[in-house]
Each structure stands twice: as C-alpha cells, then as structure tokens.
Amino acid sequence: MSFSIRSVVMSLVLGCVMCAFGSGVLGDERAYELRVYTTNPGKLDALHSRFRDHTTKLFEKHGMTNHAYWVPTDETRKSNTLIYIISHDSKEAAKESWAGFRGDPTWKEVAEASEKEGKILAAPPESVYMQATDFSPNNFQSGDQPRLFELRRYTTVEGRLPQLLQRFRDGELDLFTKHGMTNVAYYVPDDIPNTLIYVVAHKDAAAMEASWAGFREDPEWKKLWQESEQDGKIVINVERHPMTVVDYSPLK
C-alpha cells in the first residue's frame, strides 16, 4: 500500500516537472514586462527627457528593475516609439509597484509639467508580461562597442510552442553564437499563447544580415530544423524589430 502511494506521489512530481519543462519556464521567477510607447508627432524627445530625468528613477523607487530601453530603426517608427523591458519580483509585486508609481506625488508633478505643451503619448502603453525561459541567459550586460539589437517574436502552430522551445534548447542558441549573435533574453508571454519573444544583439546592421544568412545556410541548422519538424510545421509567423539603445538604457 505504501509503495502504491509513493508511486502516485512520484508520478505527480514527475508530471509537474515535465509540465515545467514543457512550458520552457524554469528557474527565474521574476515577472518581466515588455512595454511599447507610441508618441504624438514630435514628442519622442519629450518622452526621452521624462524617462531620463525622472521615470527610470521612480521605477526603481517603487521596486521595478530597469533592464533595457530602445528605439526601433524602422523609418516609420524610430521617431515616435520607445520599447523597453523592466522586471518585477512577481506579478503581484508588479501591481503594487505600478499602483505606487501612479500615485506618487512626484510622478504626478513630472507628468503634468512634461505635458504643458501637449500630450506626449498618442495611445496607452502596450504591456506584455513574460516569464524567462529555462534557457534564457538574461544577458543584460553592456558591450564594449555600440550594438544593434533585434527584438523577435515567433508565433507557432497551436500547441507547438514546446517543440519550438526544445529546438532553441537543443542547439539554436548555440548556432546563433556560432554566427556572431549575442543571446540576450528569451521569454514566453503570460497571456499570448503559442508565442516566443526574444532579443539578440549584433555588431551592426551588416553583421545582422550576415549572421542570419550564415545561420540559414548552416548544415547544422538545417538538420536541427528538419528533425524538429518531423511531426509538422512549428513556426507560422516571425516579426523582427531592429533597435538601438537610448542613452539612459542600463543595457548598452
């Protein structure tokens, strides 16, 4: 009887472990948040000034960790878009931090003063809460030289995200490194199914294109890709956003 109970318990424990590996989220319990701000025409500099002089400091005051701040290089977005990643101890801590930040008298004064000549944001900020994958290096260390970053978002066939995560775990990150890319961070969004969001860094735009060209033609990648898709297609959409860091970003 005791052996039977133990077997059941062990099965449940192993099942939980397998669920954790299947989700690709292990080890890092912080709640990461990807935020995108779109400004009204001509207001991006005002937004930068507000973040540089006040907002990032107030985030820290209220328990948030600043990781990286970028602007996209795309001609249609580089003059009106700010993209950044911060983190919280947990989702519950995030709610408390944001409530404290929004209610902070200093923030209210800063927001009012910064918008005396017009509203800065054209729309409410976009926010995506994410968990780091078990293979994410969370490499927010600055480089010695200016770099071009790339935010990539992969959408998979329904239910095929675990296969994508396994492919990255089994060698895709190593191949990125082999072809000159720096792995920065890899995330699974909390509320967007079948999605992987990640950031890599390149020396510059030419290096980015050369790295991807070399990666796509690499026999090791072709083998890994073919083996991973024996049971069907995995990725159905890829978005890529080259970005440069702003001067107040902790990550350079």
Side-chain angles (χ1 to χ4, degrees), residues 160 162-164 166-168 170-172 175 218-234:
R160 299 281 283 167
Q163 285 78 12
L164 178 63
Q166 192 60 50
R167 189 168 76 193
F168 273 83
D170 285 346
E172 196 157 342
L175 287 170
D218 191 312
E220 291 184 61
W221 158 242
K222 292 181 179 180
K223 180 182 178 182
L224 181 63
W225 174 73
Q226 289 172 353
E227 290 177 348
S228 69
E229 301 210 339
Q230 287 180 353
D231 295 327
K233 187 177 180 63
I234 295 178

Side-chain angles (χ1 to χ4, degrees), residues 74-88:
D74 180 83
E75 287 296 330
T76 62
R77 302 181 68 208
K78 68 181 185 180
S79 64
N80 69 353
T81 304
L82 174 66
I83 301 170
Y84 66 94
I85 293 176
I86 57 176
S87 68
H88 316 266

Side-chain angles (χ1 to χ4, degrees), residues 62 95-105 107:
H62 291 282
K95 294 178 183 178
E96 296 176 2
S97 291
W98 280 115
F101 170 80
R102 295 186 182 106
D104 192 310
W107 164 244

Side-chain angles (χ1 to χ4, degrees), residues 3 8 19 37-38 40 93 134 144 171 179 206 236 241 252:
F3 177 81
V8 171
C19 287
Y37 290 10
T38 302
N40 284 308
D134 62 316
D144 297 331
H179 290 280
I236 56 176
H241 304 283
K252 301 296 185 186

